Amino acid sequence: MFNREVYIERRKQLKTKVKDGIILLLGNNEASMNYPDNTYHFRQDSNFIYFFGLDFPGLVGLIDVESGDEMLFGDDYTMDDIIWMGPQDSMQEKAVHVGVKKAMPYKKLFDSVQEAISRGRKIHFTPPYRGDNKLLLHELTRVSIGDLQEKASLELIKAIVDLRSVKDELEIEELKKAAAGGYEMHVAAMKMAHPGVWEQNIAGIIEGISLSNGNPPSFPIILSQNGQTLHNHVHSNILDEGRLLLVDAGSQTSNYYASDFTRTSPVGGKFSQKQREIYEIVLAANNRATELSKPGVSYLSVHLEAAKVIADGLKQLGIMKGDVDEAVQAGAHALFMPHGLGHMMGLDVHDMEDLGQIYVGYDHEIRPVNQFGTSALRLGRRLQEGFVITNEPGIYFIPALIEKWKSEKINADFINFNRLDDYYNFGGIRLEDDLLITADGAELIGDRIPINPGEVEKIVCEGAK
């Protein structure tokens, strides 16, 4: 938790961006694994913790825009709770910690909302993503569960996106801590990239590293020698000599700020010539994207420039052909990179996606592109100082997708399909860094995880000693 003044100021700013009515910010509750008292690791709602800072279940925050009143609703723990959990702050004490004057029992929430509804006031809430909060909002507002997404307050969504998009110094320090945890995770994975190692063993070790730094990983770990499957959460393989191990993983601080990195390592410690050629192209695209990222530049344009680096590199290898600009305009590169260059990051690894990606990654000027590959770009809008984003180009050889394009002659003017027979068992390479947009460019968050191929080979080999 930050100093109470941080949350007071954030709520003050929020009130200036919403015209009238009351704002409801629902905290999360415990979620049971297999019976009520056996719960998953608690994760507070990011919007609630951004404005109210309290990392406890069973809380709701209410802000009256016109009167300026701020309230916390929740129940004090019982003696039975204290026996099992130890001494706990009262609701009033919790409220004081974050600069809120009014703390009331949970049931009083219904009275406050019903009074606002009876007076015809606006009830602002964000799109709910958990079942229990959907039920709560239905009880509070009488909006049907099926209509809650549509009835969520666009005014509130845009206000939160505006505030959370630009990270302050305290947040940047948290993100650096998350980056340090991610660095440890990835170096450990590199050192374990040896023949005969079970993927799950590596995944478990690096998950433990994140936990030891404050919280579980910022998202389920993606780790596989079948890196051509973009989000491969299956960790069942035994690593084979000469394959590529792709690890996409990030840490999360005790305050929930995230990191998100990807590295690809040669199993056994030596890239083949073919692997190194593709790796160098992806690295060049990554470096080019960092070089181009700065305030005022759209990330859509950076994505397309990175795609040109990939198309040009593959052309040099005889895999693609024709004019590079025309190939990217036609979307031919997406056979090899069917995803976007990156996304916003902060309290969430895909920051604020619960609010609607169209509001987080795009605006009235820059809209999503309806073309395979580029349509998966989560962030296209112009960058601003203080944004924190991911930069994650990749090249993948996906046999089913190659066969589809080949049989349907998709982008045949730009792809030498006969050259791809030798790459069906290649897998995939992705290289991802986290960037802070500065006044005149971009800088890496934290120390750069080893990325040059010689460095990576050296670390993998060190793990064999």
Side-chain angles (χ1 to χ4, degrees):
M1 184 188 299
F2 298 131
N3 189 289
R4 66 198 294 270
E5 277 71 29
V6 171
Y7 303 105
I8 292 170
E9 180 61 26
R10 287 174 176 177
R11 295 191 298 270
K12 179 181 176 182
Q13 290 183 41
L14 182 62
K15 282 183 277 192
T16 68
K17 292 179 179 294
V18 178
K19 293 179 182 176
D20 52 23
I22 64 171
I23 297 170
L24 287 177
L25 291 169
L26 309 185
N28 282 335
N29 296 310
E30 298 279 17
S32 298
M33 286 193 285
N34 50 2
Y35 59 89
D37 288 337
N38 192 27
T39 60
Y40 290 101
H41 182 88
F42 178 68
R43 176 49 157 98
Q44 185 59 282
D45 175 78
S46 295
N47 294 313
F48 181 87
I49 209 160
Y50 183 83
F51 291 104
F52 285 96
L54 295 171
D55 193 17
F56 305 96
L59 302 177
V60 175
L62 186 152
I63 300 173
D64 188 315
V65 176
E66 285 129 307
S67 71
D69 286 345
E70 300 169 349
M71 292 162 262
L72 273 168
F73 296 88
D75 294 327
D76 287 328
Y77 287 104
T78 65
M79 181 56 65
D80 192 48
D81 294 324
I82 293 169
I83 289 169
W84 291 99
M85 300 167 63
Q88 302 292 316
D89 285 345
S90 68
M91 277 298 302
Q92 190 59 54
E93 288 169 327
K94 290 174 182 174
V96 168
H97 291 325
V98 292
V100 175
K101 295 178 181 178
K102 296 182 180 179
M104 287 173 277
Y106 193 83
K107 64 182 180 181
K108 292 291 185 181
L109 171 65
F110 293 83
D111 297 337
S112 296
V113 175
Q114 288 309 308
E115 180 188 3
I117 291 173
S118 68
R119 293 168 54 192
R121 303 184 69 195
K122 291 181 182 177
I123 312 297
H124 299 277
F125 57 86
T126 58
Y129 54 89
R130 287 196 176 185
D132 52 354
N133 277 339
K134 290 180 181 181
L135 290 170
L136 174 59
L137 278 174
H138 168 64
E139 287 186 67
L140 289 170
T141 66
R142 308 318 301 172
V143 174
S144 69
I145 290 175
D147 291 335
L148 286 170
Q149 292 289 124
E150 181 184 341
K151 298 294 185 181
S153 169
L154 184 56
E155 186 178 0
L156 178 59
I157 288 169
K158 290 184 174 180
I160 293 175
V161 170
D162 191 39
L163 289 172
R164 284 183 56 190
S165 290
V166 176
K167 308 303 187 283
D168 62 27
E169 291 183 5
L170 290 173
E171 292 180 291
I172 292 166
E173 286 305 308
E174 283 291 312
L175 289 160
K176 288 179 179 178
K177 292 178 189 175
Y183 187 106
E184 287 185 65
M185 293 167 73
H186 280 273
V187 170
M190 288 177 185
K191 290 181 177 180
M192 295 182 72
H194 291 279
V197 176
W198 186 28
E199 290 174 344
Q200 181 58 46
N201 189 205
I202 305 174
I205 292 293
I206 67 175
E207 181 173 352
I209 290 172
S210 182
L211 281 163
S212 71
N213 282 316
N215 251 323
S218 51
F219 58 96
I221 291 168
I222 298 163
L223 184 153
S224 180
Q225 64 183 359
N226 292 316
Q228 74 279 4
T229 302
L230 302 185
H231 278 185
N232 200 330
H233 298 294
V234 178
H235 308 142
S236 60
N237 297 301
I238 303 298
L239 296 185
D240 296 321
E241 181 82 40
R243 296 292 301 276
L244 293 168
L245 177 65
L246 188 152
V247 180
D248 188 341
S251 191
Q252 188 178 198
T253 71
S254 55
N255 284 324
Y256 294 130
Y257 285 86
S259 61
D260 183 6
F261 300 110
T262 308
R263 290 295 185 266
T264 308
S265 306
V267 176
K270 185 69 175 176
F271 289 107
S272 69
Q273 180 180 342
K274 185 187 297 183
Q275 290 170 343
R276 192 166 184 134
E277 288 169 346
I278 300 298
Y279 190 102
E280 294 279 12
I281 297 169
V282 178
L283 180 55
N286 176 291
N287 288 335
R288 180 63 174 154
T290 300
E291 178 186 319
L292 292 172
S293 296
K294 60 183 178 180
V297 172
S298 77
Y299 212 48
L300 172 59
S301 70
V302 179
H303 166 89
L304 293 174
E305 288 301 314
K308 290 176 184 178
V309 173
I310 286 171
D312 183 64
L314 292 174
K315 180 180 176 180
Q316 300 305 315
L317 296 179
I319 293 171
M320 292 187 71
K321 59 185 178 180
D323 183 83
V324 168
D325 289 351
E326 291 178 8
V328 170
Q329 186 175 9
H333 66 282
L335 175 62
F336 309 101
M337 192 179 89
H339 63 74
L341 183 63
H343 50 79
M344 298 277 263
M345 195 183 72
L347 271 172
D348 308 307
V349 67
H350 285 186
D351 213 20
M352 301 174 283
E353 285 202 4
D354 61 301
L355 300 176
Q357 190 55 48
I358 191 67
Y359 307 117
V360 180
Y362 292 88
D363 55 25
H364 66 280
E365 177 198 4
I366 298 172
R367 308 302 292 169
V369 175
N370 186 25
Q371 183 189 68
F372 177 75
T374 305
S375 63
L377 178 63
R378 287 182 160 93
L379 173 62
R381 64 193 276 207
R382 293 189 186 279
L383 302 175
Q384 297 177 35
E385 183 179 358
F387 279 16
V388 173
I389 63 175
T390 64
N391 167 20
E392 48 184 307
I395 292 178
Y396 317 85
F397 295 89
I398 307 169
L401 185 61
I402 294 169
E403 286 297 316
K404 175 180 172 62
W405 280 35
K406 183 177 181 179
S407 65
E408 297 177 16
K409 296 181 171 55
I410 298 173
N411 284 313
D413 291 341
F414 302 108
I415 298 167
N416 287 317
F417 287 105
N418 62 325
R419 287 279 287 118
L420 294 178
D421 292 345
D422 294 336
Y423 289 86
Y424 271 50
N425 295 318
F426 183 94
I429 293 173
R430 181 162 66 251
L431 299 173
E432 177 182 14
D433 291 322
D434 299 339
L435 302 180
L436 169 66
I437 304 303
T438 61
D440 55 4
E443 64 182 41
L444 296 169
I445 301 266
D447 294 332
R448 196 177 199 187
I449 298 168
I451 196 169
N452 292 321
E455 288 181 283
V456 174
E457 289 177 333
K458 180 181 179 182
I459 290 173
V460 174
C461 290
E462 285 175 357
K465 296 176 182 178

